[in-house]
Amino acid sequence: YKRQPLMLWQRIDLQALVGDGNTPNILGVNNKSGIQTQAKGADTTMDAVHKAITKVRVTGRAFPNAVVFHPNDWQDIRLTRTADGIYILGAPTEAGPERLFGLRCVQSDNQTENTAVVGDFANYSQIRVRRGVEVEKTNSQSSDFINGKQAIRASVRMCTVWRRAAAFATVGEAAAGQVVAAQVGQVARHRLEFLRRARALARRGAEQARHPY
């Protein structure tokens, strides 16, 4: 019963990130129409995040102050090492800074994996609460009273407000078409290399057959 408010706010965290806006869902930042996008492509995650920061600053005319990562994505960043094997965000014995380019990095397992969100959350986002959290319980539903059961409901009336879509940007993988094209090109190059080597071996075998000694 006492854990219901915590579970409710965990649900709100999910909705604020990826909610589709269809009642009773609220609109999450990932689904806000008009937010900017930055494909990762061949860039490192850090480089792609910085490019998204620049887009928010220039096109969005905003001051980004946070980046939201899925924990698996942040793990890849945290474990990044130099060629000498040194962790760039600090030794494993330390927590390390959860910041990139001065921005706070927030981890949420509700954020879509392989996609980060950069934005000016302080100035262009808001959660409006019309009614605070209410936790109710009853045993009058169906046969609950006879069976000694109680139904518990936690609820809140609220909405999210994204004041300027361009003040936010998602950072994700390259478009599927780009990935497929790259893969097809790589397969074609490997196939040509295989044929070239096969022909060379065939010519060498024929030469040896004509001159066995």
Side-chain angles (χ1 to χ4, degrees):
Y1 179 77
K2 294 182 179 180
R3 293 180 59 83
Q4 292 298 314
L6 171 62
M7 298 170 69
L8 179 61
W9 283 108
Q10 288 176 332
R11 179 69 179 178
I12 292 172
D13 177 67
L14 168 69
Q15 293 285 320
L17 288 171
V18 296
D20 60 15
N22 296 321
T23 305
N25 299 322
I26 60 178
L27 182 61
V29 62
N30 285 270
N31 292 320
K32 171 65 177 175
S33 176
I35 67 171
Q36 304 189 75
T37 59
Q38 175 62 48
K40 182 181 175 183
D43 292 332
T44 65
T45 300
M46 294 184 188
D47 289 351
V49 167
H50 193 279
K51 290 181 179 180
I53 291 173
T54 302
K55 282 188 174 181
V56 171
R57 284 183 175 273
V58 177
T59 305
R61 296 181 61 82
F63 298 95
N65 42 56
V67 188
V68 184
F69 288 97
H70 187 280
N72 289 340
D73 297 330
W74 176 253
Q75 174 178 257
D76 294 337
I77 295 175
R78 181 62 181 89
L79 298 181
T80 302
R81 292 182 286 181
T82 65
D84 298 329
I86 300 174
Y87 291 96
I88 66 172
L89 292 183
T93 55
E94 301 177 1
E98 293 195 355
R99 303 183 72 84
L100 284 180
F101 305 108
L103 272 60
R104 179 189 177 194
C105 295
V106 180
Q107 299 181 59
S108 174
D109 60 346
N110 292 317
Q111 174 59 28
T112 305
E113 195 168 354
N114 297 321
T115 301
V117 179
V118 177
D120 187 347
F121 293 89
N123 295 308
Y124 295 103
S125 70
Q126 183 181 3
I127 292 182
R128 289 186 175 178
V129 180
R130 183 164 185 176
R131 174 178 56 76
V133 176
E134 287 186 356
V135 181
E136 303 166 287
K137 62 180 180 179
T138 180
N139 62 0
S140 61
Q141 182 178 355
S142 185
S143 59
D144 284 356
F145 178 77
I146 297 175
N147 296 322
K149 296 180 180 179
Q150 289 187 334
I152 302 176
R153 181 181 68 182
S155 63
V156 62
R157 293 191 65 183
M158 58 166 294
C159 70
T160 52
V161 180
W162 309 105
R163 298 185 180 278
R164 182 182 295 177
F168 303 89
T170 57
V171 182
E173 300 295 337
Q178 295 174 336
V179 175
V180 171
Q183 291 175 341
V184 170
Q186 186 175 15
V187 170
R189 287 192 297 272
H190 288 172
R191 183 172 297 176
L192 289 174
E193 180 64 17
F194 172 80
L195 291 175
R196 186 187 66 80
R197 293 184 179 183
R199 289 168 182 167
L201 288 173
R203 286 195 298 269
R204 187 179 304 170
E207 184 69 20
Q208 291 178 348
R210 288 196 298 271
H211 306 283
Y213 303 106

